[in-house]
Amino acid sequence: MSDACGCDDDKPTPADGEEEEHEPERLWEVSELRAAAVAGVLLVAGLIAGWLDAPRYVELGLQAVALAVGAWTFVPSTLRRLRRGKIGVGTLMTIAAAGAVVLGEVGEAAMLAFLYSISEGLEEYSLARTRRGLRALLALVPAEATVRRDGVERSIAPAQLRVGDVMIVRPGERIATDGIIRTGRTALDVSAITGESMPVEAQPGSTVYAGSINGTGVLDVEVTSTAEDNSLARIVRIVEAEQARKGASQRIADRIAKPLVPGIMIAAALIAAIGSMFGDPGTWIERALVVLVAASPCALAISVPVTVVAAVGAASRLGVLVKGGAALEALGTIRGVALDKTGTLTRNQPVVIDVATTAGATREQVLYVAAALEARSEHPLARAILAAVDTPQPASDVEAVTGAGLTGTVDGRSVRLGRPGWLHPGDLADTVQRMQHAGATAVLVEDDGTVIGAIAVRDELRPEAAEVVDRLRRDGYHLSMLTGDNPATATALAAQAGITDVHADLRPEDKARIIDALRARRRTAMVGDGVNDAPALATADLGIAMGAMGTDVAIETADVALMGEDLRHLPQALGHARRARAIMLQNVGLSLAIIIGLMPLALLGVLGLAAVVAVHEVAEVVIIANGVRAGRARALKPLPTPATTHTPTPAPVGVG
């Protein structure tokens, strides 16, 4: 439970030794709101009984039951907290309701309990979001691992792996824990761990991480860490620790209520004591109780939850999922934004960005041969190359050379496609180097023993990325890019987007460490979409996940999720949250002004209990109406519609 309306100090939590309740998904599942509904019905029934001139005990009985039902939502927890010497808004509400009863105003006490139970229920509902991200992490570990012990291969649970064991990892299998390749070559899909957009070539001596997917080769991997201490386990620990840190943070109303509540209680006690010394004790005790009711922060308690529910609902219409009031408040205070590259700034859809030719070949010939070899491959490079050719014709006798490339036959000629080093680039050496410095993966194409060209493939920026970055910068946000990709790729793409603060070649722990450093300078949000981003999302002041592209762990770890693939939702979400937070502050300010204005009038006897309660109720209507304004979704002016995905054809960087 969060401290959404400043009343968390009076609520039981799992830390208090109580079992955590089922998280409600609908309004009616919130017990406080069910109690408020019952109390409201009883109050209306009591009001009708009074209009119909029913016996006084009928009206009083209905009001008393309404008071009991409403008070059930906060009085028991208030008493538990008081036993531990802790007070909060619930403490003051309890005393105010008790004071109203002492003055014979049971109906007013019931109204206070009714309104406060609504605020409690709205808090609960606004924060009731389950986070199943850690389960998604566990799904990255295979159920079994093949290990060779004493010359015999056997399947065991990953938890039984020991340091020094040799795992056998076949093509397509996930790696169960961290280790070092002893024999075999392959291309590893490590996007879940590092965010690397392209498969990474691995060979004997290469380090591999739990959750990586093996490509084409059979590997012997020496285990270097147990299941309890591998990469994924470290991610889990970081997420858990950071979520616990953020769960203990204070909220706006709570920060105000902590000194306000004891101050009001002391003031009421002094009024009763000093007044009784110089005047009629009955009069001054009554005035002290009226002051206590006048100072009850009922409007303060309901001001934030109403705004939260309205703003969160409006955000969902903008395609933004905000997980509760704490997330909304935090989103409105953000001044720095760190963006992951792959799947966030980029589309995670590699495309051919350039084709360099030599030996008299044409661009079409180079792509024709490459597409023929890649026609039946599911490799990301293959999909990019095939997308650049209208009707690829599959080559015959295609064979994969692990960690190097492909060989086959096209129109009776022997052809090859592969990485520089396996194929000699010849006079394309400088061109290949420029492609790599531009952040692209370069592959060479050989036809009948002669290299005829080089193809550059790169995961391109989202069409709207540069304009979004420019908008965020104009709005005063400091921008950084964090990625597991190599520095050349990261720097090139960051320059296109307009980001100058670039951190590359990062593992999940590194991202979390850099976010921690950024947080020391300004309140920082992390925007990411993968498992590898989870620690950074949790470490940041606010985590923002790209929903449609994101993995479950990113969406569930984050505080905010952009439910579409359009990055333009990010400045929309930030602008909406800043406006909602401004409305929250207006409500809090008005609530405090009402308290400050009523207290001296109650003290001087100008206003009695009925008048004080009436002013409070009018103020609550005004505050609720103001909070509802946060439900008006203010979309930013539309940016140009992103262009349809196509294969870019920039001026070649090589010879032609």
Side-chain angles (χ1 to χ4, degrees):
M1 186 75 63
S2 175
D3 23 49
C5 64
C7 37
D8 189 55
D9 277 347
D10 298 305
K11 286 186 147 184
T13 66
D16 296 331
E18 299 187 16
E19 224 175 279
E20 189 171 359
E21 297 179 1
H22 168 69
E23 291 282 355
E25 297 179 3
R26 292 178 291 274
L27 277 170
W28 186 246
E29 294 179 6
V30 181
S31 60
E32 290 89 346
L33 291 180
R34 290 201 298 267
V38 173
V41 170
L42 291 168
L43 276 171
V44 171
L47 186 63
I48 293 173
W51 287 343
L52 297 177
D53 292 325
R56 173 61 178 162
Y57 67 83
V58 174
E59 181 182 0
L60 190 61
L62 289 169
Q63 292 172 345
V65 176
L67 172 60
V69 172
W72 168 83
T73 64
F74 62 92
V75 172
S77 55
T78 294
L79 297 176
R80 282 193 294 269
R81 302 288 284 185
L82 280 174
R83 283 200 299 268
R84 295 196 298 275
K86 297 182 179 180
I87 60 175
V89 178
T91 309
L92 190 55
M93 296 300 294
T94 300
I95 296 173
V101 171
V102 169
L103 294 176
E105 299 290 348
V106 177
E108 308 304 343
M111 180 62 71
L112 290 176
F114 166 67
L115 292 171
Y116 191 61
S117 61
I118 289 177
S119 72
E120 292 279 81
L122 289 176
E123 173 197 0
E124 171 83 6
Y125 179 68
S126 69
L127 298 171
R129 307 289 181 181
T130 56
R131 295 182 178 181
R132 300 176 297 273
L134 299 184
R135 298 179 204 165
L137 281 175
L138 298 178
L140 293 177
V141 177
E144 292 184 338
T146 303
V147 65
R148 184 186 298 120
R149 289 177 179 170
D150 301 324
V152 178
E153 293 184 10
R154 64 186 72 180
S155 295
I156 63 173
Q160 296 177 318
L161 288 169
R162 302 191 297 261
V163 174
D165 277 342
V166 176
M167 291 187 296
I168 312 301
V169 186
R170 297 180 176 84
E173 291 183 345
R174 286 191 182 272
I175 296 174
T177 192
D178 299 349
I180 297 174
I181 297 177
R182 292 309 178 201
T183 61
R185 294 174 178 269
T186 190
L188 288 172
D189 178 357
V190 296
S191 58
I193 307 303
T194 67
E196 185 89 21
S197 57
M198 307 300 293
V200 174
E201 304 293 339
Q203 56 192 350
S206 298
T207 300
V208 296
Y209 302 108
S212 303
I213 302 174
N214 187 18
T216 55
V218 177
L219 305 177
D220 282 6
V221 178
E222 181 181 338
V223 174
T224 58
S225 66
T226 62
E228 293 78 17
D229 196 38
N230 61 32
S231 304
L232 294 180
R234 288 195 294 273
I235 292 176
V236 170
R237 283 197 293 271
I238 291 173
V239 171
E240 286 178 334
E242 293 302 325
Q243 285 182 343
R245 173 186 64 81
K246 287 163 66 172
S249 64
Q250 294 293 312
R251 298 279 311 283
I252 291 176
D254 195 44
R255 290 196 299 271
I256 295 170
K258 279 190 180 297
L260 178 66
V261 171
I264 290 171
M265 292 170 64
I266 292 170
L270 289 174
I271 289 169
I274 296 174
S276 297
M277 291 172 59
F278 298 98
D280 178 35
T283 299
W284 284 101
I285 290 174
E286 181 176 341
R287 285 191 184 183
L289 289 173
V290 173
V291 167
L292 197 62
V293 174
S296 63
C298 204
L300 177 63
I302 203 170
S303 62
V304 172
V306 166
T307 309
V308 166
V309 172
V312 168
S316 67
R317 295 194 295 275
L318 294 174
V320 180
L321 173 63
V322 181
K323 299 182 179 180
L328 185 70
E329 286 184 31
L331 187 60
T333 64
I334 293 302
R335 303 313 306 158
V337 179
L339 299 117
D340 176 48
K341 181 183 75 66
T342 305
T344 302
L345 282 170
T346 70
R347 293 175 294 199
N348 202 19
Q349 297 173 354
V351 295
V352 172
I353 63 166
D354 194 23
V355 179
T357 62
T358 187
T362 65
R363 183 179 189 276
E364 290 71 23
Q365 288 173 329
V366 172
L367 288 172
Y368 174 79
V369 172
L373 287 168
E374 297 279 26
R376 292 186 173 87
S377 173
E378 292 299 322
H379 195 286
L381 281 176
R383 292 195 292 273
I385 291 171
L386 291 172
V389 178
D390 292 332
T391 54
Q393 301 297 319
S396 58
D397 303 323
V398 177
E399 293 183 4
V401 179
T402 303
L406 300 168
T407 66
T409 303
V410 173
D411 300 331
R413 304 186 310 279
S414 175
V415 295
R416 294 196 293 171
L417 170 83
R419 60 179 178 82
W422 182 57
L423 295 179
H424 194 279
D427 58 6
L428 291 178
D430 291 341
T431 300
V432 168
Q433 190 172 23
R434 281 196 294 273
M435 287 177 171
Q436 292 172 333
H437 283 312
T441 297
V443 292
L444 294 166
V445 180
E446 182 185 89
D447 189 340
D448 205 19
T450 301
V451 170
I452 62 170
I455 301 174
V457 178
R458 187 170 65 192
D459 186 11
E460 289 293 84
L461 285 175
R462 294 178 183 273
E464 71 275 17
E467 195 155 357
V468 168
V469 167
D470 181 61
R471 184 183 292 275
L472 290 172
R473 182 174 288 109
R474 284 189 282 111
D475 287 344
Y477 295 97
H478 177 273
L479 300 174
S480 304
M481 187 175 85
L482 278 60
T483 179
D485 268 350
N486 63 77
T489 300
T491 302
L493 284 169
Q496 288 184 38
I499 299 175
T500 56
D501 186 20
V502 182
H503 305 269
D505 201 18
L506 304 176
R507 295 186 59 205
E509 302 96 315
D510 301 325
K511 288 186 178 182
R513 175 179 49 78
I514 290 171
I515 287 292
D516 208 34
L518 292 173
R519 286 181 57 236
R521 294 194 285 272
R522 61 186 65 83
R523 289 187 61 80
T524 299
M526 171 69 191
V527 188
D529 80 316
V531 173
N532 60 293
D533 300 316
L537 289 168
T539 302
D541 292 299
L542 186 87
I544 304 175
M546 292 291 291
M549 293 293 293
T551 61
D552 287 344
V553 65
I555 296 171
E556 296 299 338
T557 302
D559 305 285
V560 175
L562 308 182
M563 300 311 293
E565 297 182 25
D566 194 336
L567 196 58
R568 291 177 292 178
H569 288 311
L570 180 58
Q572 282 184 324
L574 289 164
H576 176 67
R578 289 172 81 166
R579 178 173 176 269
R581 186 170 183 271
I583 292 174
M584 287 183 201
L585 293 174
Q586 291 167 12
N587 277 351
V588 170
L590 179 57
S591 302
L592 293 176
I594 294 297
I595 292 172
I596 294 169
L598 285 180
M599 284 184 67
L601 295 177
L603 174 63
L604 297 173
V606 175
L607 295 179
L609 181 63
V612 164
V613 172
V615 172
H616 268 299
E617 290 175 1
V618 171
E620 284 152 13
V621 170
V622 172
I623 282 170
I624 289 172
N626 190 45
V628 169
R629 289 197 308 116
R632 298 174 187 169
R634 280 190 182 179
L636 300 178
K637 291 181 181 180
L639 298 176
T641 302
T644 303
T645 302
H646 67 283
T647 303
T649 54
V653 295
V655 296

